[in-house]
Amino acid sequence: MVQKGPNRKSAQLPIGAYFVESGKITREQLEEALEHKRTSGGKIGQALVQLGFVTEADLTNALRQQGRIYCINLSHGILNSTLAAEFGEAQSRRHRAVIVNRIAGYTTVAMEDPTDIYAIDEIQLRVGTRIHPVFAEPSSIDEAIDYIFSLDGVRVDRGGSSVEMLAERARSEAAASSVALDLPVNPGGKMRIKRDANPATVELAGIDQDEQEQVEEVVDDKPVVNLVRSILSEAFREGASDIHLEPGPDSFTVRFRIDGSCYEKTTVPVAWARPVIARIKIMASLDIAQRRLPQDGRTQFKVGDTRVDLRVATTPTIHGEGAVLRILDGGRQLEDLSSLNLRDEQRAKLSKIIRCREGFVLATGPTGSGKTTTLYALLKELADPERKIVTLEDPVENVLAGITQINANPKAGLTFAKGLRSILRQDPDIVLVGEIRDEETAGIAVEASMTGHIVLSTLHTVGAVESISRLADMGVEPYLLGDTLKGVIAQRLLRKLCTDCRKPMTPPAELLAELGLGAVEGATFFEHVGCEACRHTGYKGRVAIYEILEVDPEMRALVQSNANTDRIHEHALAHGLETLRTDGLRKAVAGEVTLNDVLSSTS
């Protein structure tokens, strides 16, 4: 707050004489300060503070009493962070000055020495407006500069977490001001955002919750923007697959899903829930006024030079809106078959399956089991300038050079079935359909694989053989399925043991019995422990286990005759099918996973 209240008598005195007159310092101390000023430069007030004869508060009060300059109490709440950042850190530190705000063509600048006309002229030239210089305590200027410019307002030690630092700031900050900000919306008009006690507390007011309005821009609420940016960046760097933003009665929790398990990253005051969700919605082009219904969207952000794709899903809860952000692999290195942790026999079998000129290949497993990664690896193997490859996904998870990729959009009417019909008119050689969701899509995919196309897709089933009966249940004729299906890849992702802390263990007889094993001799198994390297979880990364079913002539005949699942499974086992559990046990013996995880992920 700018204050000016001159005392007529004190205004006539130099600052040093004022302190002597008021009894703050002695004449000897004034002489010492004058000598210090002559040798080190600066102002007499600065010299008195540096020598410890007066405090910064004493100097501020004296300047206010003199009435020669305006003085302000520089706090984060009155700073326009955008203007201050535009001025630049180097200039701010060189001039010991911070831009506070801009009103009616005048830029208010807090300075350690607001009488420095050379600095004022340079600042005025740089910002392009008239300058209103005011005095602020040097320590508050230093703190403001650190706040604005240290990692976008967060000073973090090397190896520290900017998310946690921002969360700590959110928990400790409480501004005393209430500010109303205008937020433009379509069509026309204004939407009001009210920010009170907490600098990030945003309350939408004056809008109909049932109206669907497209937000064009939002006020840059720096603490909120910084928090969201840090959450996204740290989640990507830590290898998270999902970010969970969960409102509760007393706090707003941020959790990351890493290696298949969720863990709490931080919590912030519940007042931050709405502005954080609003910021996410703006990024994903969702309606920030609609808080009663779930919404889905997509967006992108950058970590360094890497573009990262996000799938955003918001939902109302009893404590307010929450959101889950799926981090897609658009910014990460695309894997090929050699990097999928396949054994040589498995890789050879997969290569044989996709060497066909036409046919249907499926990847199956639960959500988050790596099906899309496997299909992308197959596409990379199949990519050839002489082939036309088209994908239809919801959403596109990785941009592939030389491949036509289409985002399915059911809300706009572009379903997998309609999109697949359109793709078949584009003269493709290879088609990737993100998921077989219904009878119509299944039928079109099978028909496409009969007419000279290789069709890759995913399906949610528990195993490779079960996919055959699932497609039959979806209305695909057995004779068509037998003719077109070339292979099925069932897979799971298991948590990989941390090699820094895992320790050998002797599995109990009950566990071995559940896994279908007898006494095991000569094999070493491991269990998780936990250390700094794995965030005390005992696991670091994930590893895939596979069940690869190749449809040979005998199995084709079984499928066409509508044989039951048990009979098909017996034939597959007799002809070398290695089940998910068998592959998991191999990796347990290799010390990569635990027996408990193999048991819980396979049947």
Side-chain angles (χ1 to χ4, degrees):
M1 182 177 180
V2 177
Q3 301 180 28
K4 186 177 180 181
N7 177 285
R8 187 177 299 275
K9 180 179 178 181
S10 61
Q12 301 171 355
L13 295 174
I15 193 69
Y18 169 81
F19 279 127
V20 173
E21 185 81 12
S22 62
K24 286 286 184 182
I25 62 172
T26 64
R27 292 192 178 276
E28 290 76 13
Q29 289 174 322
L30 176 58
E31 291 296 330
E32 186 177 345
L34 289 170
E35 180 61 27
H36 181 82
K37 171 182 173 295
R38 281 191 290 270
T39 57
S40 62
K43 301 291 183 178
I44 183 63
Q46 296 169 356
L48 288 168
V49 172
Q50 290 169 2
L51 292 171
F53 296 153
V54 298
T55 66
E56 288 184 348
D58 292 334
L59 179 58
T60 301
N61 185 60
L63 292 170
R64 185 182 298 117
Q65 289 297 323
Q66 284 190 308
R68 295 178 179 178
I69 59 174
Y70 287 89
C71 304
I72 65 169
N73 178 22
L74 188 60
S75 65
H76 299 165
I78 67 171
L79 285 172
N80 184 319
S81 300
T82 302
L83 286 176
E86 288 175 358
F87 184 53
E89 181 176 7
Q91 294 292 328
S92 294
R93 294 197 186 280
R94 184 160 71 88
H95 295 302
R96 310 270 303 155
V98 176
I99 291 181
V100 177
N101 58 39
R102 184 173 294 155
I103 301 174
Y106 277 82
T107 299
T108 300
V109 182
M111 305 177 66
E112 183 177 338
D113 182 8
T115 65
D116 187 343
I117 59 174
Y118 299 106
I120 291 171
D121 286 345
E122 191 171 336
I123 295 171
Q124 186 167 285
L125 183 64
R126 185 175 180 86
V127 301
T129 69
R130 298 289 298 274
I131 294 299
H132 178 48
V134 296
F135 173 81
E137 295 179 358
S139 60
S140 67
I141 290 176
D142 289 337
E143 184 181 347
I145 292 174
D146 287 342
Y147 175 79
I148 296 297
F149 297 105
S150 297
L151 288 180
D152 290 333
V154 188
R155 182 168 294 282
V156 185
D157 294 332
R158 188 175 299 275
S161 167
S162 58
V163 171
E164 185 52 40
M165 294 293 288
L166 278 163
E168 182 61 32
R169 172 178 294 167
R171 292 190 286 266
S172 61
E173 276 190 350
S177 60
S178 180
V179 183
L181 305 171
D182 286 332
L183 177 69
V185 297
N186 269 337
K190 293 284 186 180
M191 178 160 38
R192 303 290 290 178
I193 288 183
K194 188 174 182 181
R195 189 175 69 197
D196 53 18
N198 189 302
T201 303
V202 177
E203 180 181 348
L204 301 176
I207 57 176
D208 185 345
Q209 295 298 319
D210 296 322
E211 291 180 359
Q212 298 297 318
E213 297 175 317
Q214 178 62 48
V215 178
E216 291 183 338
E217 61 179 281
V218 69
V219 175
D220 182 18
D221 195 350
K222 197 171 184 68
V224 174
V225 173
N226 285 341
L227 180 60
V228 171
R229 182 189 300 128
S230 294
I231 288 171
L232 298 180
S233 298
E234 289 200 20
F236 178 77
R237 291 192 180 102
E238 292 185 20
S241 61
D242 299 87
I243 303 168
H244 295 251
L245 306 174
E246 302 169 342
D250 304 311
S251 64
F252 185 58
T253 303
V254 179
R255 296 202 297 164
F256 292 170
R257 183 179 293 279
I258 298 178
D259 300 335
S261 299
C262 283
Y263 82 96
E264 186 175 303
K265 180 65 179 179
T266 191
T267 60
V268 294
V270 70
W272 283 61
R274 191 176 293 180
V276 167
I277 296 297
R279 176 64 184 171
I280 295 293
K281 284 183 173 182
I282 289 164
M283 292 174 62
S285 299
L286 301 179
D287 181 6
I288 68 172
Q290 177 56 267
R291 301 196 299 274
R292 297 175 182 174
L293 296 173
Q295 297 186 68
D296 297 317
R298 303 182 185 93
T299 187
Q300 297 179 345
F301 68 100
K302 292 191 74 175
V303 179
D305 295 327
T306 302
R307 174 191 56 78
V308 183
D309 298 303
L310 280 181
R311 185 169 64 200
V312 178
T314 66
T315 187
T317 75
I318 60 173
H319 297 299
E321 269 192 302
V324 176
L325 285 60
R326 166 64 60 88
I327 299 178
L328 305 175
D329 287 341
R332 290 174 176 152
Q333 182 64 39
L334 183 63
E335 295 182 328
D336 54 24
L337 286 182
S338 63
S339 58
L340 288 184
N341 199 33
L342 293 161
R343 292 187 301 107
D344 291 340
E345 297 89 338
Q346 293 172 323
R347 187 159 54 248
K349 188 179 286 189
L350 262 185
S351 297
K352 182 180 177 182
I353 289 172
I354 63 174
R355 277 201 299 268
C356 58
R357 296 190 62 85
E358 61 184 32
F360 193 26
V361 180
L362 277 174
T364 75
T367 300
S369 59
K371 300 184 298 295
T372 302
T373 299
T374 298
L375 292 183
Y376 275 160
L378 294 178
L379 281 185
K380 195 169 183 179
E381 193 83 3
L382 291 166
D384 188 306
E386 297 181 359
R387 285 172 162 170
K388 167 85 170 186
I389 302 177
V390 184
T391 74
L392 177 64
E393 305 168 68
D394 184 21
V396 171
E397 296 193 15
N398 206 316
V399 178
L400 308 175
I403 294 178
T404 301
Q405 295 177 271
I406 303 169
N407 264 322
N409 189 350
K411 290 182 180 178
L414 182 57
T415 62
F416 279 126
K418 288 184 178 179
L420 186 52
R421 282 199 179 94
S422 173
I423 288 172
L424 296 179
R425 293 192 289 269
Q426 297 178 29
D427 188 31
D429 296 295
I430 300 168
V431 177
L432 175 103
V433 183
E435 184 181 345
I436 302 295
R437 292 181 177 174
D438 51 47
E439 181 178 336
E440 185 179 12
T441 306
I444 298 170
V446 169
E447 289 176 12
S449 65
M450 291 182 63
T451 55
H453 306 92
I454 299 174
V455 179
L456 310 177
S457 192
T458 69
L459 193 65
H460 292 285
T461 57
V462 297
V465 175
E466 287 76 8
S467 300
I468 297 172
S469 59
R470 175 69 185 278
L471 288 170
D473 291 341
M474 295 176 78
V476 178
E477 293 293 341
Y479 71 91
L480 292 178
L481 189 56
D483 282 343
T484 58
L485 188 64
K486 302 300 181 182
V488 183
I489 310 149
Q491 63 185 85
R492 301 288 188 275
L493 286 178
L494 305 187
R495 295 175 297 178
K496 192 172 183 180
L497 282 166
C498 174
T499 55
D500 291 333
C501 62
R502 67 182 182 181
K503 69 176 184 179
M505 57 90 71
T506 301
E510 296 82 2
L511 177 58
L512 293 175
E514 285 189 78
L515 288 166
L517 301 175
V520 179
E521 296 182 4
T524 302
F525 297 100
F526 293 85
E527 63 181 350
H528 71 284
V529 179
C531 64
E532 291 289 341
C534 60
R535 303 185 310 277
H536 300 284
T537 63
Y539 302 96
K540 196 173 183 180
R542 288 193 289 179
V543 61
I545 57 174
Y546 299 95
E547 179 178 302
I548 301 174
L549 174 68
E550 182 183 2
V551 180
D552 58 25
E554 294 173 347
M555 182 176 293
R556 182 172 296 112
L558 288 173
V559 173
Q560 289 173 334
S561 65
N562 202 22
N564 62 38
T565 300
D566 290 339
R567 188 176 173 191
I568 296 174
H569 195 260
E570 288 173 4
H571 171 83
L573 290 174
H575 288 75
L577 175 68
E578 186 175 83
T579 64
L580 286 168
R581 174 160 293 180
T582 301
D583 196 29
L585 290 173
R586 285 182 183 275
K587 290 180 169 61
V589 171
E592 297 183 74
V593 301
T594 66
L595 285 175
N596 280 319
D597 279 355
V598 173
L599 177 64
S600 63
S601 300
T602 62
S603 58

